[in-house]
């Protein structure tokens, strides 16, 4: 168990106190005093290791299964002896342009909070340090921990959304560059080091995948936050609805940003495909114009290349240069006509 227990502490009146090293004894002490609670932090516990925790804290088997399996949607479940909340913290890697998400499960019950972390994105260490520096908040018990964790996760959503917005503005400038961002200096590599150069279309699709990953974390959390912001949720202090309402407002803002990113990406992709179609049409017009100009001398030369004895102008000395001049004049006239129409 020491390998998976990140931290285990008793908090009394908002301050960390010394207690038994064993979490079972620590929980019994917190419940005996009545004015304290235990905060147990775990990181990717196995089924055998978590059995000890679930039996001691009386956690529901379905919630335990979700906490062990991971890959859960953000949700809120209410059981007889505990409250179970699933959050998905996110991080954005600028070097690889990748949104990564972890999972954070929070059990809230009688005089205890159990947090289970999967992945490296959860901001639990910073949250615990901040709460320990604010005893006035921490003295509200397990509800304060649930609020602080939710607030930190949602604040990270807004930060990641802002970073994605900046990168999207760069991508937008690239798409509307004269060359459309493909080739030359407009294309970006998949990472900061060596690697394949990504075309603009590939960057847009990759960006949409990252926004979709982001949406999987933010979208489903709206319903649980709305429930926590309302009355009647067990194991949550009645006076905390205002704070959860603030978290819910921030989450709504983050969801609006995600929706805006997705819509703008769709517009950028449509604009890029339209630009590609226009450039292809321009190329086809140029090719057609040059082919038309080449067809005239080819036709005349082909006719005079036939081995017939009786052909006009064959016996005149000026016939050959006259035919050459005729071909040049016709090609020049076609060139001027195509130039005026914008085909060349």
């Amino acid at each position: 168990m020491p390998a998976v227990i990140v931290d285990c502490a008793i908090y009394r009146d908002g301050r960390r106190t010394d207690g038994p090293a064993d979490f079972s004894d620590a929980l019994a002490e917190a419940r005996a005093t009545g004015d304290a609670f235990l905060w147990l932090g775990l990181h990717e516990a196995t089924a055998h290791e978590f059995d000890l925790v679930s039996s001691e804290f009386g956690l529901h088997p379905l919630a335990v299964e979700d906490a062990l399996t991971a890959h859960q949607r953000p949700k809120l479940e209410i059981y007889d002896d505990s409250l179970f909340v699933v959050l998905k913290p996110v991080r954005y890697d600028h070097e690889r342009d990748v949104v990564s998400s972890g999972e954070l499960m929070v059990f809230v019950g009688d005089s205890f909070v159990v947090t289970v972390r999967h992945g490296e994105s959860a901001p639990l260490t910073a949250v615990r340090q901040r709460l320990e520096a604010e005893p006035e908040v921490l003295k509200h018990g397990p509800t304060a921990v649930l609020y602080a964790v939710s607030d930190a996760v949602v604040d990270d959503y807004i930060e990641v959304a802002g970073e994605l917005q900046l990168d999207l503005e760069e991508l937008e400038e690239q798409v509307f560059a004269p060359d459309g961002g493909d080739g030359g200096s407009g294309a970006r590599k998949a990472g900061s080091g060596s690697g394949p150069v990504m075309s603009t279309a590939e960057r847009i699709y990759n960006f949409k995948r990252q926004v979709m990953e982001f949406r999987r974390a933010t979208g489903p959390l709206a319903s649980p936050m709305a429930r926590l912001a309302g009355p009647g949720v067990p194991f949550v202090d009645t006076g905390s609805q205002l704070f959860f309402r603030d978290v819910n407002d921030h989450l709504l803002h983050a969801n609006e940003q995600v929706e805006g990113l997705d819509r703008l990406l769709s517009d950028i992709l449509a604009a890029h495909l339209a630009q590609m179609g226009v450039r292809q049409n321009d190329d086809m017009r140029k090719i057609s114009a040059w082919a038309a100009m080449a067809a005239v001398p080819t036709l005349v030369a082909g006719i005079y290349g036939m081995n017939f004895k009786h052909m006009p102008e064959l016996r005149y000395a000026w016939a050959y240069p006259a035919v050459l001049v005729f071909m040049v004049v016709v090609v020049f006239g076609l060139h001027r006509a195509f130039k005026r129409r914008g085909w060349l």
Side-chain angles (χ1 to χ4, degrees), residues 104-120:
L104 178 59
M105 287 77 171
V106 183
F107 294 89
V108 178
D110 179 21
S111 301
F112 72 85
V113 176
V114 177
T115 54
V116 184
R117 176 167 59 91
H118 292 270
E120 302 298 331

Side-chain angles (χ1 to χ4, degrees), residues 229-297:
V233 180
F235 306 106
V236 176
D237 291 347
T238 56
S240 63
Q241 281 77 23
L242 181 63
F243 297 95
F244 283 108
R245 195 174 303 133
D246 180 67
V247 177
N248 189 46
D249 290 341
H250 292 172
L251 178 62
L252 291 176
H253 178 60
N255 279 325
E256 289 174 356
Q257 287 181 293
V258 174
E259 292 293 334
L261 288 171
D262 188 62
R263 288 195 299 268
L264 187 56
L265 272 171
S266 298
D267 294 341
I268 290 175
L269 179 59
H272 176 65
L273 294 178
Q275 283 183 331
M276 294 293 293
V278 170
R279 284 197 293 270
Q280 289 176 352
N281 289 336
D282 290 341
D283 292 341
M284 288 302 299
R285 284 199 297 264
K286 292 179 181 179
I287 293 173
S288 300
W290 286 110
M293 289 187 292
V296 173

Side-chain angles (χ1 to χ4, degrees), residues 3 53 69 91 98 111 149 177 182 310 322 329:
V53 177
T69 305
R91 289 287 184 272
V98 171
S111 301
V149 171
D182 288 326
H310 300 287
V329 170

